[in-house]
Amino acid sequence: MSDFTTKAVDTIRVLAADTVAKANSGHPGAPMGMAPAAHVLFSQMKTNPKNRKWINRDRFVLSNGHAVALLYVMFHLMGYPISIEDLKQFRQLHSKTPGHPESGTPGIDVTTGPLGQGISNAVGMAIAQANFAAKYNKPNYKISDNHVYSFFGDGCMMEGVASEACSLAGHLQLGNLIAFYDDNKISIDGATSLAFTEDVGARLTAYGWQVLEVPDADTDYEAIAKALEKAKATTNKPTCIKITTTIGFGSLNAGSASVHGSPLKPDDIVQLKKKFGFDPEKFFDVPSDVYDYWRLIADKGEKANQEWDLMFEAYCQEYPEEGAEISRRLSEKLPENWEKLLPVYTPQDKALASRKMSEIVLGKLEQALPELIGGSADLTPSNLTRWTDAVDFQPPALGIGSYAGRYIRYGVREHAMGAIMNGIAAYGANFKAYGGTFLNFVSYAAGSLRLSALSGHPVIWVATHDSIGLGEDGPTHQPIETLAHFRAIPNLMVWRPADGNEVSAAYKVALESTVTPSVIALTRQGIPQLEGSSIEKAARGGYVLSDVENARLILAATGSEVSLAVDAAKELTAGGLPTRVVSLPDFFTFDHQSADYKKSILPDGIPVLSVEVMTTFGWGRYAHAHLGLDHFGASAPAKDIFKAFGFTTEDVVAKAKKVDAYYADKEVLSRLDGPLSY
Amino acid sequence: MSDFTTKAVDTIRVLAADTVAKANSGHPGAPMGMAPAAHVLFSQMKTNPKNRKWINRDRFVLSNGHAVALLYVMFHLMGYPISIEDLKQFRQLHSKTPGHPESGTPGIDVTTGPLGQGISNAVGMAIAQANFAAKYNKPNYKISDNHVYSFFGDGCMMEGVASEACSLAGHLQLGNLIAFYDDNKISIDGATSLAFTEDVGARLTAYGWQVLEVPDADTDYEAIAKALEKAKATTNKPTCIKITTTIGFGSLNAGSASVHGSPLKPDDIVQLKKKFGFDPEKFFDVPSDVYDYWRLIADKGEKANQEWDLMFEAYCQEYPEEGAEISRRLSEKLPENWEKLLPVYTPQDKALASRKMSEIVLGKLEQALPELIGGSADLTPSNLTRWTDAVDFQPPALGIGSYAGRYIRYGVREHAMGAIMNGIAAYGANFKAYGGTFLNFVSYAAGSLRLSALSGHPVIWVATHDSIGLGEDGPTHQPIETLAHFRAIPNLMVWRPADGNEVSAAYKVALESTVTPSVIALTRQGIPQLEGSSIEKAARGGYVLSDVENARLILAATGSEVSLAVDAAKELTAGGLPTRVVSLPDFFTFDHQSADYKKSILPDGIPVLSVEVMTTFGWGRYAHAHLGLDHFGASAPAKDIFKAFGFTTEDVVAKAKKVDAYYADKEVLSRLDGPLSY
């Protein structure tokens, strides 16, 4: 390639150095080292800066998110709405250019920075693309053929979540996935040889990847382009292009840990610009022919988008049904009346485990919602996440499913499942991703779950075996702190339905959500269908399930403890202590109801006793006293554990009477009120 | 090997089948498949059932913990205090034989079951052994030369935590680690080919392991023994012995997923016993020559232990200093007066980041506490976890440290770090393991952290960058829900010290703890030394930092917000609203103080406003109103974020006045009281 390429590459380097220096905070090393790969890749990528939602655009995920200055620079050059002024506002309050990539920033689909997540999100996007293509492509109509690209570094490769996702990507033979591994041999502690001497290429090969190497990715642009060409020609396995780079190329500290996370000093920037033929007096300076170059690339992308639009028009003529479905999905709307498919129960219906009721919901919805795609982390027969006759999402070559299948065999990889769901959701096309595991092991994916909430990916965790009610597997499997943990995460729904109608409500709200993920906690054991529940009521997150006149006490419960509360309330009321039962299936949704509504559920003057077989931590927001479990569980049949830990009707009745007696001579204010509004 | 071996192996299988069938719950498949490996390995293992704390015993970790019936059977045969009656009580309430291995059960060092943890614990034990040997072995005195063995299955190999730990074990060249991989090709979903087609052997080889294969581990005992011999002869890399087994060998459902997690049916047990030459009418029947065999093995172990005791006596003569140190460590006592080394501060001392004050503590203690061993997940210069002149724990061959070194370069592997710390703690010898990362990324290790608490491993997380105060890295790095999550875990201390004395207090309590792990949350930014703090007071978890007469309001704060509360209280008091400041560095420790003490800190009649830049979730336990952060953070300089989110003196003063006004005409009860005792 030409001198111009060198100039264009060096422009990226200089601009990244200026950006980080201006903020006096950030990571210049990786952007400067990966500039050649970025130049080559972004020159070829199919994107239209003017239509950043184009479904067939190539996706790009910066897994080493700390290198985000590189991304802002590229977006600026390519004509995304990131101005030089935005670069100057890098890492400042309310800027468009935060310290790590945040979805919502123009051009960024997933929030990255926590290492290992981005490459795993990319696997999810690749799954989504393969599924979308397999479902909708027709002879002569390649509705979907985009690639998913990612940059990742040593840090990502050390993280377990990336190992899990890369192993699954290899199994799934995702030829649409091309990842550049920045082998710069430096991490924050120093040389990677301090802690990371494995053979990364051999490991990825063992996972089933194609591994290509570019020994000098500082200057050999041609080799990068050739490797990329070969990767794009490979359709039956993901490709890793291992590029050996010099971190902070051009800096006086090139190749050292100090350039990883600290801005270049002023004199270093001066020498850098001089060395690269730039004016050291100028900052944020882009040669006009570099802008021209990227404008042509952007124009090409715009044209490709226009051609796709024309093709899609013709497709809609020839395949009106599929065309309409795609259009609906692209508008991010569920089909009309889909919610009428949700099962409704009466108290006469038989008791079932709520995991079973979840399975019934999935079975009812799967045909109406082609965007529904899910799986389980190797607990399918326990989580009951696979509807009858589901087709597995598998590479056609294995003969055990197809890419058009919508049931993903995640293997025992909870963390990757979380990150992959985020990637599927981020792909667009209204994909609704769900994933099953035991509630306790959603914690393995805490890193991804938090990012679902932060990025606003409305994924759904089907979290079964949700309490000591799972019985014999014992305390290693029984959640105690788990619901509190999840309820404390902003923008996360944590449903714990009490019966079939509440299960339907949880799915209704979760599937209608466009920006809030959900955890749906479900029982292993059977629970009865309750008098007084309904989808409508439960969809408000909290409601009065059963009431009495002049209630003097409220039992507030969730999930399997609601029927326990109902039994206790009956006994209490009959015994002269009129007791209301409140079901609170989701704190998040309840908190978002009007103040009046909430006060009508938990009013002043009536003490509230919470009943939940988990930690009492956090229940102070609603209840004055708690029946909970502030210690670990035990291995035994469920009935024996409930009894041993004080969760029988008699226990609830006894505690309730104490609460009533305690508050008899005291003023009772609703816990919903207070001097400060939240 | 002989017919006797077959009989002995089949005894294990039949006993495991009986155990699971009696409970009508559990996992017979893996125990029956792994019986030959168990027989061969346990026959050779250096253990003394009569002295289960012998420091030089071989360690064994069952990483596929669901196969625990195998372990109970082996322990029974070997003469551990697990009787036939205990086997019959498998998975019952209060039995010695819970559904997954729980530390505390005779012979079990670590709690396993959550997949991937056990093999990672084993890496930690191997690190501990290597360190102990390097420090104390002398010519002619092999004080420490035990092996660490583990069984693991496909599920473990799919989990990211195991990937991280195995990669590090390869880097560290841990020749004392020998792990049997049960390649039975079955997981809960069915054939592993549904989700797991990677080449496990090649992957481990890429990590730097030796991989040996036993193609028929159902019957070829000789081959298992030979592989074991070769593994023991290899001292410069960990070995994986890949044994191909038939899950549920002998059962009618052998080789299928159905035998993984369901008891054998009665007719299946009958045919199994007939096939193996056992009396189908008898249950829990052990041939007397099998008992005899294991009694000889146990005797051999006892003798080895006695020989070691004699050697250690002589060692103490020749090396009295080291001998005394070992004796002290084996008694699990810290050296006398160690706590006098903890730094004490006065308000005149300069403001420092609490991560820096943590570094000072480590520097003061490292010489006095040879059991202190720690590291960081690639954030050493940020976490400040490495004392000056620390030697890295590294294999001697790399020339960058030694096994006697006590600073572990974990790489970007938080989850493995957590599991490895558990393994180090479980090794014994009073090892005090600490590990550093950003507070937000301790969540990546949630699975291991929970097990620290459940198993009672007193490990210490040095969790820096503990709030939005980390600034520009932004919301991906800023904890919001994290402290609530950890505070909700039973048996976990969550320290957030407010100044230098509180940092010292946190380390004091954390290091003195023998069964409770700690997370110590530390600031990136500087915080002042406070008037009124002391190690003694802070060591109670909560105390009155500054008081006034007739206080009408309490500000309860932690960490960096305590000085903010102090400033606000001064202004409030001066303005006519007498305000007390309470520092609550650790809820867990505070909760364990006497009711009187606690009530003296947070009495009736005074409303409490909590001040903490995190979720308010859970603060209802102490406070009536909250100033917190129930949304995600932002990328900007710390000062700007604190201001933007309402954490300035003026903000606190304004909120405090509202709280005071609200409660002026209301009865205020301490949140510590209530109708129920917790």
Side-chain angles (χ1 to χ4, degrees):
Chain A
M1 297 190 190
S2 66
D3 283 355
F4 172 76
T5 306
T6 301
K7 182 181 180 183
V9 167
D10 290 343
T11 301
I12 299 169
R13 288 175 167 137
V14 169
L15 217 43
D18 273 352
T19 298
V20 175
K22 176 73 168 65
N24 196 24
S25 167
H27 303 75
M32 294 169 74
M34 298 196 84
H39 175 87
V40 172
L41 174 61
F42 281 72
S43 294
Q44 297 197 13
M45 259 173 65
K46 184 170 63 182
T47 59
N48 178 9
K50 291 189 186 153
N51 177 15
R52 296 183 301 277
K53 292 233 157 190
W54 177 26
I55 194 67
N56 201 34
R57 72 192 184 279
D58 286 336
R59 304 300 195 277
F60 179 82
V61 180
L62 187 73
S63 193
N64 47 348
H66 53 270
V68 69
L70 174 65
L71 214 44
Y72 297 143
V73 166
M74 297 312 298
F75 286 163
H76 169 70
L77 294 173
M78 294 169 78
Y80 287 76
I82 300 279
S83 65
I84 287 287
E85 196 45 46
D86 292 324
L87 295 182
K88 289 182 181 168
Q89 288 298 311
F90 183 48
R91 296 188 152 221
Q92 303 308 304
L93 199 63
H94 306 313
S95 80
K96 269 188 189 171
T97 47
H100 285 87
E102 294 182 15
S103 70
T105 305
I108 294 179
D109 293 313
V110 287
T111 300
T112 57
L115 293 174
Q117 299 289 339
I119 179 68
S120 310
N121 299 152
V123 174
M125 290 178 168
I127 288 172
Q129 190 279 324
N131 181 259
F132 198 70
K135 175 147 183 75
Y136 295 113
N137 282 358
K138 300 284 179 190
N140 302 322
Y141 292 103
K142 278 219 171 161
I143 291 298
S144 183
D145 66 353
N146 70 275
H147 278 91
V148 179
Y149 298 104
S150 183
F151 282 3
F152 67 92
D154 293 300
C156 291
M157 275 315 276
M158 288 191 245
E159 289 285 7
V161 59
S163 305
E164 294 174 14
C166 290
S167 172
L168 186 58
H171 168 79
L172 293 174
Q173 304 178 8
L174 296 169
N176 54 354
L177 176 64
I178 299 174
F180 288 77
Y181 164 41
D182 183 18
D183 176 34
N184 65 25
K185 299 190 171 60
I186 288 291
S187 68
I188 292 176
D189 266 22
T192 51
S193 57
L194 284 171
F196 188 59
T197 42
E198 64 171 58
D199 181 338
V200 172
R203 174 171 151 218
L204 285 166
T205 304
Y207 290 150
W209 287 52
Q210 167 175 246
V211 177
L212 307 175
E213 303 201 8
V214 179
D216 169 19
D218 288 333
T219 60
D220 193 350
Y221 320 123
E222 199 93 40
I224 300 171
K226 275 199 183 144
L228 184 54
E229 195 181 338
K230 182 163 179 196
K232 286 162 93 169
T234 303
T235 58
N236 65 345
K237 40 175 76 179
T239 296
C240 170
I241 303 177
K242 182 179 155 186
I243 53 173
T244 301
T245 70
T246 304
I247 191 168
F249 183 87
S251 160
L252 294 171
N253 296 316
S256 82
S258 65
V259 79
H260 167 91
S262 304
L264 271 62
K265 300 259 178 340
D267 63 333
D268 195 2
I269 295 204
V270 166
Q271 72 80 28
L272 178 81
K273 289 181 180 170
K274 278 189 188 161
K275 187 158 52 188
F276 288 165
F278 287 67
D279 182 347
E281 304 286 309
K282 287 189 181 165
F283 296 87
F284 294 96
D285 187 40
V286 178
S288 63
D289 52 349
V290 172
Y291 273 136
D292 292 343
Y293 173 83
W294 287 107
R295 196 165 305 121
L296 286 178
I297 303 283
D299 290 348
K300 223 172 87 183
E302 192 179 353
K303 208 173 143 231
N305 191 163
Q306 285 161 351
E307 282 163 8
W308 186 92
D309 288 345
L310 289 174
M311 175 182 65
F312 183 55
E313 263 178 52
Y315 178 94
C316 287
Q317 295 291 325
E318 199 168 335
Y319 303 100
E321 204 175 309
E322 288 88 342
E325 193 169 281
I326 293 174
S327 297
R328 176 187 67 72
R329 289 180 61 175
L330 295 184
S331 74
E332 294 182 13
K333 289 207 175 80
L334 294 168
E336 301 255 318
N337 296 320
W338 74 276
E339 74 279 4
K340 297 203 170 132
L341 296 167
L342 289 165
V344 176
Y345 297 80
T346 73
Q348 285 69 49
D349 291 317
K350 70 176 174 189
L352 289 172
S354 53
R355 60 178 170 147
K356 181 72 191 170
M357 302 189 270
S358 159
E359 182 185 46
I360 293 170
V361 169
L362 293 171
K364 296 275 184 196
L365 297 183
E366 56 99 359
Q367 289 224 13
L369 301 185
E371 56 262 65
L372 195 66
I373 183 166
S376 152
D378 194 44
L379 288 169
T380 301
S382 299
N383 301 144
L384 304 180
T385 32
R386 191 170 188 268
W387 61 76
T388 316
D389 302 328
V391 176
D392 283 1
F393 179 87
Q394 295 281 4
L398 292 183
I400 51 175
S402 90
Y403 283 148
R406 289 185 286 144
Y407 193 75
I408 302 172
R409 302 287 188 168
Y410 280 104
V412 192
R413 302 182 180 103
E414 299 84 3
H415 202 170
M417 182 165 71
I420 286 171
M421 287 200 289
N422 287 341
I424 294 174
Y427 186 77
N430 211 37
F431 269 113
K432 299 290 180 183
Y434 70 87
T437 185
F438 289 175
L439 175 60
N440 196 51
F441 299 123
V442 181
S443 303
Y444 265 45
S448 295
L449 180 64
R450 178 176 217 271
L451 284 170
S452 307
L454 176 55
S455 314
H457 300 311
V459 307
I460 301 173
W461 284 85
V462 181
T464 71
H465 295 61
D466 73 344
S467 77
I468 55 168
L470 66 83
E472 291 88 346
D473 274 343
T476 52
H477 288 52
Q478 293 161 348
I480 298 296
E481 78 285 6
T482 317
L483 293 187
H485 168 197
F486 299 163
R487 285 167 179 160
I489 297 178
N491 191 37
L492 178 65
M493 294 189 277
V494 186
W495 292 92
R496 190 163 184 255
D499 72 353
N501 290 328
E502 291 198 4
V503 171
S504 291
Y507 273 101
K508 179 173 187 293
V509 182
L511 286 166
E512 280 172 348
S513 163
T514 53
V515 294
T516 304
S518 304
V519 175
I520 306 182
L522 300 160
T523 64
R524 177 190 184 211
Q525 74 275 22
I527 50 175
Q529 309 301 338
L530 301 170
E531 181 81 49
S533 76
S534 77
I535 297 180
E536 246 187 338
K537 286 192 267 182
R540 303 188 77 164
Y543 64 103
V544 177
L545 179 82
S546 76
D547 212 357
V548 286
E549 263 185 74
N550 302 317
R552 215 163 72 212
L553 185 86
I554 293 174
L555 296 177
T558 74
S560 49
E561 285 74 73
V562 175
S563 61
L564 179 64
V566 168
D567 291 347
K570 274 184 199 151
E571 204 172 310
L572 287 161
T573 301
L577 171 47
T579 301
R580 165 186 286 191
V581 176
V582 166
S583 180
L584 274 172
D586 176 42
F587 289 12
F588 178 90
T589 303
F590 182 66
D591 288 347
H592 283 78
Q593 303 300 312
S594 72
D596 283 353
Y597 175 78
K598 287 188 281 186
K599 257 326 250 304
S600 76
I601 309 298
L602 302 172
D604 288 327
I606 315 182
V608 179
L609 170 62
S610 67
V611 185
E612 189 176 64
V613 280
M614 314 252 165
T615 180
T616 60
F617 197 82
W619 268 100
R621 188 177 285 189
Y622 310 115
H624 303 83
H626 315 296
L627 175 54
L629 216 59
D630 289 318
H631 55 78
F632 289 110
S635 167
K639 258 190 316 187
D640 298 348
I641 314 178
F642 275 108
K643 197 172 165 196
F645 289 160
F647 279 83
T648 64
T649 310
E650 303 87 78
D651 292 312
V652 179
V653 166
K655 302 275 185 192
K657 286 179 179 167
K658 278 197 192 175
V659 175
D660 179 61
Y662 181 85
Y663 282 104
D665 61 349
K666 295 187 179 69
E667 187 184 2
V668 180
L669 298 174
S670 171
R671 282 291 170 95
L672 294 171
D673 286 331
L676 308 176
S677 56
Y678 304 110
Chain B
M1 295 189 190
S2 67
D3 284 354
F4 172 77
T5 306
T6 300
K7 183 180 178 181
V9 167
D10 290 343
T11 300
I12 299 170
R13 288 175 168 139
V14 169
L15 218 43
D18 272 352
T19 299
V20 175
K22 177 74 169 63
N24 195 24
S25 167
H27 303 75
M32 296 170 73
M34 298 196 83
H39 175 87
V40 172
L41 174 61
F42 282 72
S43 294
Q44 296 198 15
M45 259 171 65
K46 184 170 64 181
T47 58
N48 178 8
K50 291 187 185 152
N51 178 13
R52 297 183 300 278
K53 293 232 156 191
W54 178 25
I55 195 68
N56 201 33
R57 72 192 185 279
D58 286 335
R59 303 300 194 278
F60 178 81
V61 180
L62 186 71
S63 193
N64 46 348
H66 53 270
V68 69
L70 174 65
L71 214 44
Y72 297 142
V73 166
M74 296 313 298
F75 287 161
H76 169 71
L77 294 174
M78 294 169 79
Y80 287 77
I82 299 281
S83 67
I84 287 287
E85 197 44 46
D86 292 325
L87 295 183
K88 289 181 181 168
Q89 288 298 310
F90 182 48
R91 295 188 152 223
Q92 304 308 304
L93 200 62
H94 305 313
S95 80
K96 269 188 190 170
T97 46
H100 286 87
E102 293 181 15
S103 70
T105 305
I108 294 180
D109 293 312
V110 286
T111 300
T112 56
L115 294 174
Q117 299 289 339
I119 180 68
S120 310
N121 299 151
V123 173
M125 290 179 168
I127 288 172
Q129 190 279 326
N131 181 259
F132 198 71
K135 174 147 184 73
Y136 295 114
N137 283 357
K138 300 281 180 193
N140 301 323
Y141 292 102
K142 279 218 170 162
I143 291 298
S144 183
D145 64 354
N146 70 274
H147 279 93
V148 179
Y149 298 104
S150 182
F151 283 1
F152 68 92
D154 294 300
C156 291
M157 276 314 275
M158 289 191 245
E159 290 285 8
V161 59
S163 305
E164 293 174 16
C166 290
S167 171
L168 185 59
H171 168 80
L172 292 174
Q173 304 179 8
L174 297 169
N176 53 354
L177 177 63
I178 299 174
F180 288 76
Y181 163 41
D182 183 19
D183 175 34
N184 64 25
K185 300 190 172 58
I186 289 292
S187 69
I188 293 177
D189 267 22
T192 50
S193 57
L194 284 171
F196 188 59
T197 42
E198 64 172 59
D199 182 339
V200 171
R203 173 171 150 217
L204 285 166
T205 305
Y207 290 150
W209 287 53
Q210 167 175 246
V211 178
L212 307 174
E213 302 202 8
V214 179
D216 168 20
D218 288 332
T219 59
D220 193 350
Y221 320 123
E222 199 91 41
I224 299 172
K226 274 198 183 145
L228 185 54
E229 197 181 334
K230 182 162 180 197
K232 286 161 93 169
T234 304
T235 58
N236 65 346
K237 42 176 74 179
T239 296
C240 170
I241 303 177
K242 181 178 154 184
I243 53 173
T244 300
T245 70
T246 304
I247 190 168
F249 183 87
S251 159
L252 296 171
N253 297 315
S256 81
S258 65
V259 80
H260 167 90
S262 304
L264 270 62
K265 300 258 177 339
D267 63 332
D268 195 2
I269 294 202
V270 166
Q271 72 79 27
L272 177 81
K273 289 182 180 170
K274 278 188 186 162
K275 187 159 52 188
F276 287 166
F278 286 69
D279 183 346
E281 304 287 309
K282 287 190 182 163
F283 295 88
F284 295 95
D285 187 41
V286 178
S288 62
D289 52 349
V290 173
Y291 273 135
D292 292 343
Y293 173 83
W294 287 108
R295 196 164 307 121
L296 287 177
I297 302 283
D299 289 348
K300 225 173 86 182
E302 192 178 355
K303 207 170 145 234
N305 191 164
Q306 285 161 351
E307 282 163 8
W308 186 91
D309 288 345
L310 289 173
M311 174 181 66
F312 183 56
E313 264 178 49
Y315 178 94
C316 288
Q317 295 291 325
E318 200 167 334
Y319 303 100
E321 204 175 310
E322 287 88 343
E325 191 169 282
I326 292 175
S327 298
R328 176 187 67 72
R329 288 182 61 175
L330 295 184
S331 74
E332 294 182 12
K333 289 206 176 82
L334 294 168
E336 301 253 318
N337 296 322
W338 73 277
E339 74 279 4
K340 298 203 169 132
L341 297 168
L342 289 165
V344 176
Y345 296 81
T346 72
Q348 286 68 51
D349 290 317
K350 68 175 174 191
L352 289 171
S354 54
R355 59 178 171 147
K356 181 70 192 170
M357 302 188 270
S358 159
E359 183 185 46
I360 294 168
V361 169
L362 292 172
K364 296 276 184 195
L365 297 182
E366 57 97 0
Q367 288 223 13
L369 302 184
E371 55 263 66
L372 195 65
I373 182 166
S376 152
D378 193 44
L379 288 169
T380 301
S382 300
N383 300 144
L384 304 179
T385 33
R386 191 170 188 268
W387 61 75
T388 317
D389 301 328
V391 175
D392 282 0
F393 178 88
Q394 295 280 4
L398 292 183
I400 51 175
S402 91
Y403 283 147
R406 289 186 283 144
Y407 193 76
I408 303 172
R409 302 286 187 169
Y410 280 104
V412 193
R413 302 182 181 103
E414 299 84 5
H415 202 170
M417 182 165 73
I420 287 170
M421 287 200 289
N422 287 340
I424 293 173
Y427 186 78
N430 211 36
F431 270 112
K432 301 287 182 186
Y434 69 88
T437 184
F438 288 176
L439 175 59
N440 195 51
F441 299 123
V442 181
S443 303
Y444 265 46
S448 295
L449 179 64
R450 180 175 214 271
L451 285 169
S452 308
L454 176 57
S455 313
H457 300 311
V459 306
I460 301 173
W461 284 85
V462 181
T464 71
H465 296 61
D466 74 344
S467 77
I468 54 168
L470 66 83
E472 291 88 346
D473 274 343
T476 52
H477 288 51
Q478 293 161 348
I480 298 295
E481 78 285 5
T482 317
L483 293 187
H485 169 197
F486 299 162
R487 286 167 179 161
I489 297 177
N491 191 38
L492 178 65
M493 294 189 277
V494 186
W495 292 91
R496 190 162 185 255
D499 73 353
N501 290 328
E502 291 199 3
V503 171
S504 290
Y507 273 101
K508 177 173 189 293
V509 182
L511 286 165
E512 280 172 349
S513 164
T514 54
V515 294
T516 304
S518 304
V519 175
I520 307 182
L522 300 160
T523 63
R524 177 189 184 211
Q525 74 276 22
I527 51 176
Q529 310 300 339
L530 301 169
E531 181 82 48
S533 75
S534 77
I535 296 181
E536 246 188 339
K537 286 192 267 182
R540 302 188 79 165
Y543 64 103
V544 177
L545 178 83
S546 77
D547 213 358
V548 287
E549 262 185 77
N550 302 316
R552 215 165 70 212
L553 184 86
I554 294 174
L555 295 177
T558 74
S560 49
E561 285 74 72
V562 176
S563 62
L564 179 63
V566 168
D567 291 346
K570 274 184 200 151
E571 204 173 309
L572 287 161
T573 301
L577 170 48
T579 301
R580 165 186 287 192
V581 176
V582 166
S583 180
L584 275 172
D586 176 42
F587 288 12
F588 177 91
T589 303
F590 182 65
D591 288 347
H592 283 77
Q593 302 301 310
S594 72
D596 283 354
Y597 176 77
K598 286 187 282 185
K599 258 324 251 306
S600 78
I601 310 299
L602 302 172
D604 289 326
I606 314 182
V608 180
L609 170 63
S610 67
V611 185
E612 189 176 64
V613 280
M614 315 252 165
T615 181
T616 59
F617 198 82
W619 268 100
R621 190 177 282 188
Y622 310 114
H624 303 83
H626 315 296
L627 174 54
L629 217 58
D630 289 318
H631 55 79
F632 289 110
S635 167
K639 259 191 317 187
D640 297 348
I641 314 180
F642 275 108
K643 197 172 166 198
F645 290 160
F647 279 83
T648 64
T649 310
E650 303 88 77
D651 293 312
V652 178
V653 165
K655 302 275 185 191
K657 285 181 179 166
K658 277 196 193 177
V659 174
D660 179 60
Y662 181 85
Y663 282 104
D665 60 350
K666 296 187 179 68
E667 187 184 0
V668 180
L669 298 174
S670 171
R671 280 292 169 95
L672 294 170
D673 287 331
L676 308 177
S677 56
Y678 303 111

